Amino acid sequence: MTVPNDATKALAWLPGSVGAATRTGDPEVDSEALRSGKSWERLLESLRHGSEVMAANSDGDEELAAGYRHLLVLLALGIDEALRTSDPYDPFIKPGNVDSVLKWGMDCPDAAYLGAAVRGDAVYRLRGQRGSVRYLGLQVMGGIESTANVVVDDLEIGADGTFEVVLSNQKRPGNWMALS
């Protein structure tokens, strides 16, 4: 399936966008949009746009049905993210919302995905123990785009295997990851 360039302009149907909608914006404006039904209509319009892109680019009924299933999985993941407690000013690391049913293209059967909601206007300090896993990577996502990646083995690690990384929108000395 080929996606035309204009199809990527409205990515509001992605899981992170649905979940982030509960944590962003002006409460006064958001309340008005919620009460007037504009928020609901915006969600439906985004789903309609995704449906139109799939219909225009599917090579048959089986591919179209798979596309609709994928769109429903993205919606279910977004709803799941929106309903779970996730305060980006007091984050906690929790299992990612990928399982054997709700797959959306990023999961690897040999990986454990964990995450926390964060914001670019905050500063975070992540402490950990390297442990014995073969690969330990950290990633910052902005929607569906990866904005920063680091392999823990490339960080300064203590003799006891402990490490610390600062996440912020301004460069810091030592182990640092950029937030946008």
Side-chain angles (χ1 to χ4, degrees):
M1 178 163 84
T2 308
V3 179
N5 290 338
D6 67 341
T8 59
K9 68 182 176 187
L11 297 178
W13 45 268
L14 292 172
S17 296
V18 176
T22 65
R23 299 184 297 268
T24 60
D26 179 340
E28 297 296 322
V29 174
D30 291 347
S31 178
E32 169 58 29
L34 180 64
R35 291 183 186 284
S36 70
K38 288 180 184 176
S39 295
W40 184 253
E41 289 303 319
R42 191 169 57 233
L43 171 64
L44 294 178
E45 182 55 38
S46 295
L47 291 170
R48 199 171 1 269
H49 176 71
S51 173
E52 290 167 358
V53 170
M54 286 185 310
N57 292 283
S58 295
D59 294 328
D61 290 347
E62 187 174 331
E63 189 173 286
L64 184 59
Y68 281 119
R69 181 188 186 285
H70 186 68
L71 188 60
L72 289 172
V73 164
L74 293 172
L75 180 62
L77 289 168
I79 291 168
D80 180 65
E81 185 174 322
L83 295 177
R84 291 185 192 274
T85 303
S86 182
D87 181 355
Y89 292 113
D90 187 21
F92 63 94
I93 297 174
K94 62 183 180 348
N97 58 4
V98 175
D99 61 27
S100 62
V101 175
L102 298 177
K103 293 185 173 296
W104 65 285
M106 69 166 213
D107 55 319
C108 166
D110 297 327
Y113 292 94
L114 306 171
V118 297
R119 289 184 51 107
D121 61 348
V123 177
Y124 304 92
R125 186 173 312 276
L126 176 68
R127 294 180 180 99
Q129 174 79 28
R130 171 62 183 90
S132 62
V133 296
R134 181 174 289 195
Y135 172 84
L136 180 57
L138 305 174
Q139 183 176 44
V140 175
M141 299 293 292
I144 197 166
E145 179 184 3
S146 173
T147 60
N149 287 286
V150 68
V151 176
V152 170
D153 292 339
D154 294 338
L155 298 174
E156 296 171 16
I157 301 177
D160 61 353
T162 58
F163 64 91
E164 182 175 288
V165 181
V166 173
L167 293 88
S168 67
N169 63 13
Q170 294 183 354
K171 180 125 176 74
R172 304 285 178 116
N175 296 331
W176 174 74
M177 292 182 75
L179 293 178
S180 56

